[in-house]
Amino acid sequence: MNVLKRCAFGITIISLSTLSVQCKSDKKMDVTTTQNVKDSVTIVKSEYGTTPKGEKIDSYKLKNQNGMEVDIITFGGIITDLKVPNKEGVSENVVIGFSSLEQYMKPNPYFGALIGRFGNRIAKGKFSLDGKEYKLAINNAPNALHGGPEGFHRVVWKAEEAKSGQSAVLKLSYLSKDMEEGYPGNLQVFVTYTLTNNNELEVLYEAETDKKTVVNLTQHSYFNLSGDFSKTILDHEITLDADKLVPVDPTLIPTGELQDVANTPFDFRKPKLIGKDIAVQNEQIKRGGGYDHCWVLNNPEKGKTVIAKAYHQASGRVLEVTTDEPGIQLYSGNFLDGTLPMRNGGTYAHRTGFCLETQHYPDSPNQKNFPTTVLNPGENYKTKTTFKFSVKK
């Protein structure tokens, strides 16, 4: 965790013009755009739906001058769509998602969502701070997972949009109250999505607390760079700048050791297809049902070095990830089982999406030798991950 002094959120707002248009669904949309066509980025706000509690959910479409689009809703801070060009210049959606708020509100494997307060698993749903034990909901028996059943992926975030000449910015905020889902402290959280004209999607996480607590935020989008979700991701080539793995026990809780990846199916230091070793006889592969593990990033220049890369040869799409986090969870969609509906018919089958979740190691509050996830009053939790898209012809 990086503990830094707070830097004020500031963006120079340039002259904007606003107009109203009618979309096919007859919902009113506010379109804000810049006057400078060369540097144009747009943010389109529209109504997405209403929760059973009567909470209005909005959707924001961020679009850059290259035609890259990112759609984010205020429910769960979910990325519902992410369109990027292939090597032929055709833009297609490359993240798993649903077509309605109703579907997102049903149980699902965190499609596109913000995760908090604690991404990944906490053993037996409990941890201690200063001798006091805190108990969490057991939602991934026998452990707690991704902040609990009503974690950040299911709350309504406040949204504030802004732009500079080269970037479209959406800043989300949420106040997680003391003992929400069992976590101590009133935690004020900000997550800022920034889409640049370099086809980068930056995700900046910030948080402050009034009581000692633990924090481990991440983003849970499922990628399929082919743009065709009827196909698996086994033909995607992955590179991870990581010499070590965080091995897990049968309940997917870290053993406390750090294991060298050399001569194991977990060695992605050189580009390798996800499908190459995913079915080999290996105890860790068996426990995860494939890849569902945290790698220890080498990351010598935190936030600057590309620590993960995905490449899909047929489409030519490339995804590069930079982060200042110490770990990354590669999840190969092992629990997708054909029961959840795709947007345009059909269902999401086994391994039709993969995740690259930048984070601290699982169960860190209970592992003394892992980098700390403790946040104290007066400190600022601040970490950034960037997803950059390009094509290789």
Side-chain angles (χ1 to χ4, degrees), residues 320-339:
E320 295 176 310
V321 183
T322 58
T323 189
D324 50 17
E325 288 282 0
I328 190 167
Q329 186 93 0
L330 169 61
Y331 172 53
S332 51
N334 311 317
F335 298 110
L336 297 176
D337 59 3
T339 61

Side-chain angles (χ1 to χ4, degrees), residues 144-212:
L145 177 65
H146 288 335
E150 299 296 322
F152 291 178
H153 62 291
R154 291 188 55 83
V155 304
V156 180
W157 295 71
K158 293 180 180 179
E160 174 186 346
E161 59 183 276
K163 292 197 305 298
S164 67
Q166 294 287 335
S167 302
V169 181
L170 183 68
K171 185 174 185 179
L172 303 179
S173 62
Y174 176 69
L175 176 62
S176 176
K177 295 183 178 180
D178 184 32
M179 299 311 296
E180 180 177 286
E181 290 295 300
Y183 292 91
N186 292 296
L187 188 76
Q188 180 63 62
V189 185
F190 299 96
V191 178
T192 305
Y193 287 108
T194 300
L195 176 63
T196 76
N197 276 329
N198 293 322
N199 281 8
E200 296 169 324
L201 179 63
E202 300 175 354
V203 189
L204 173 67
Y205 308 88
E206 297 176 280
E208 289 181 340
T209 184
D210 62 0
K211 186 187 296 184
K212 192 172 187 176

Side-chain angles (χ1 to χ4, degrees), residues 81 83 93 97-100 227 229 340-348:
D81 294 85
K83 294 180 180 179
N93 183 49
F98 297 123
S99 58
S100 69
F229 296 97
L340 296 172
M342 290 195 289
R343 297 176 185 84
N344 301 313
T347 58
Y348 292 111

Side-chain angles (χ1 to χ4, degrees), residues 190-325:
F190 299 96
V191 178
T192 305
Y193 287 108
T194 300
L195 176 63
T196 76
N197 276 329
N198 293 322
N199 281 8
E200 296 169 324
L201 179 63
E202 300 175 354
V203 189
L204 173 67
Y205 308 88
E206 297 176 280
E208 289 181 340
T209 184
D210 62 0
K211 186 187 296 184
K212 192 172 187 176
T213 191
V214 295
V215 186
N216 187 28
L217 308 182
T218 192
Q219 219 292 332
H220 210 293
S221 286
Y222 287 68
F223 298 99
N224 187 324
L225 299 182
S226 75
D228 183 352
F229 296 97
S230 68
K231 297 179 179 178
T232 74
I233 45 78
L234 298 180
D235 62 347
H236 286 57
E237 192 177 83
I238 297 289
T239 312
L240 299 175
D241 187 9
D243 296 332
K244 293 182 181 296
L245 181 79
V246 182
V248 293
D249 68 16
T251 71
L252 301 183
I253 292 296
T255 62
E257 304 169 294
L258 299 181
Q259 175 185 314
D260 288 337
V261 299
N263 302 313
T264 77
F266 297 90
D267 192 350
F268 284 91
R269 291 174 295 181
K270 293 182 179 179
K272 183 175 71 172
L273 294 178
I274 293 177
K276 184 177 186 297
D277 295 328
I278 201 168
V280 302
Q281 292 298 313
N282 176 277
E283 189 63 30
Q284 286 297 312
I285 288 285
K286 181 179 179 181
R287 289 175 180 178
Y291 296 115
D292 189 8
H293 296 75
C294 185
W295 274 255
V296 179
L297 295 173
N298 295 331
N299 214 3
E301 294 183 274
K302 291 190 174 183
K304 298 180 181 180
T305 306
V306 174
I307 50 82
K309 184 176 181 179
Y311 169 56
H312 182 253
Q313 185 177 21
S315 68
R317 291 188 179 96
V318 178
L319 167 59
E320 295 176 310
V321 183
T322 58
T323 189
D324 50 17
E325 288 282 0

Side-chain angles (χ1 to χ4, degrees), residues 339-385:
T339 61
L340 296 172
M342 290 195 289
R343 297 176 185 84
N344 301 313
T347 58
Y348 292 111
H350 190 51
R351 294 178 178 154
T352 50
F354 69 92
C355 302
L356 290 170
E357 306 159 56
T358 57
Q359 57 185 247
H360 274 57
Y361 312 155
D363 197 37
S364 289
N366 296 312
Q367 304 275 352
K368 294 181 180 180
N369 294 327
F370 287 0
T372 183
T373 52
V374 171
L375 183 67
N376 293 295
E379 296 176 343
N380 181 34
Y381 175 99
K382 188 174 183 179
T383 179
K384 184 172 78 171
T385 293

